[in-house]
Amino acid sequence: MTRINLLPWREARRTQRQRELIFMLAAAALVAMGIVFLVHTEIANRIQYQQERNNYLRGEIARLKKAAEELQELQKTKNRLVERLNVIQKLQASRPGMVRMLDELVRLIPQDIYLTAFTTANNQVVLNGIARSDNVISDFMRSIRDANLFGEPALQIIETRDVNNVQARVFELIVPLKLEQDQASAGDKT
């Protein structure tokens, strides 16, 4: 006998396919949301990791800047100390030179010249004195020029005055010193 199926099988199949489609769409939506969540979480983790690295680098940069400032302060202190040591060494080196210069100057002064003032500054000597004549001053200047410790003397003032009712020549003479050059040559010999 033949059976006739009166049930609406097409509609049942259609509803079954619709349920399967809805289930597949829901599963695809869940999978897509899961993927989006994982991607979002991974990106957030990477951003956080990069921010931590940036903060670490900022901290290191600040520490290095502070160290650089301390280093600059130490360098300034070192430079000041080196300058002081150089000044002290120059003073130590010029001390025997000044004694030699005074000794040489005493040997060069003729009998007819009397020094009234003597000053040293900026590697030069200013001599003020009284002489009997211009020739004596000229001889004195030649002997100073021929000495190894002195440069070319420059006569600044020469006047005729009465000193104790005697005509005398009052003069001012500027003489450059060669102490540093002399010390350098002495240092080369040793």
Side-chain angles (χ1 to χ4, degrees):
M1 156 159 138
T2 352
R3 289 180 139 205
I4 297 175
N5 188 357
L6 297 174
L7 291 173
W9 61 274
R10 287 188 182 151
E11 284 194 27
R13 197 169 86 185
R14 190 178 299 140
T15 58
Q16 178 66 23
R17 282 188 175 172
Q18 280 181 349
R19 274 190 244 144
E20 288 174 1
L21 180 64
I22 289 173
F23 176 74
M24 285 182 169
L25 287 176
L30 285 176
V31 168
M33 286 176 48
I35 291 173
V36 168
F37 177 75
L38 289 176
V39 169
H40 176 71
T41 304
E42 180 63 25
I43 291 174
N45 286 341
R46 288 188 181 191
I47 289 173
Q48 181 182 0
Y49 175 71
Q50 188 62 43
Q51 286 175 345
E52 289 173 0
R53 286 182 63 196
N54 290 349
N55 290 337
Y56 172 75
L57 290 176
R58 284 186 193 107
E60 289 298 309
I61 289 171
R63 186 180 63 81
L64 290 175
K65 280 184 182 178
K66 184 178 178 183
E69 290 171 359
E70 290 174 0
L71 186 63
Q72 286 177 343
E73 288 299 319
L74 288 174
Q75 188 68 30
K76 288 178 185 176
T77 304
K78 177 190 165 200
N79 289 341
R80 286 193 303 261
L81 289 174
V82 166
E83 288 174 5
R84 288 181 186 172
L85 284 173
N86 288 340
V87 168
I88 290 171
Q89 287 174 349
K90 283 182 182 179
L91 289 174
Q92 289 288 345
S94 68
R95 186 170 42 183
M98 285 295 182
V99 172
R100 281 195 358 234
M101 183 266 307
L102 286 173
D103 183 50
E104 185 75 21
L105 191 61
V106 168
R107 293 173 197 261
L108 294 175
I109 296 176
Q111 281 186 331
D112 294 338
I113 289 183
Y114 302 98
L115 293 181
T116 57
F118 172 87
T119 56
T120 60
N122 298 330
N123 262 350
Q124 65 183 13
V125 179
V126 179
L127 302 172
N128 294 329
I130 301 172
R132 285 192 184 174
S133 68
D134 292 338
N135 291 336
V136 174
I137 296 172
S138 296
D139 290 340
F140 180 50
M141 287 176 64
R142 277 197 272 325
S143 62
I144 287 175
R145 184 186 61 217
D146 294 340
N148 291 335
L149 294 177
F150 302 106
E152 184 71 33
L155 189 61
Q156 296 297 311
I157 299 173
I158 186 163
E159 300 174 339
T160 303
R161 290 190 189 162
D162 280 337
V163 179
N164 296 333
N165 294 328
V166 177
Q167 287 274 332
R169 303 294 281 170
V170 177
F171 65 93
E172 179 177 308
L173 191 63
I174 296 178
V175 182
L177 296 175
K178 294 182 183 176
L179 293 177
E180 292 169 354
Q181 295 169 353
D182 187 50
Q183 290 167 1
S185 65
D188 291 340
K189 292 178 184 176
T190 57

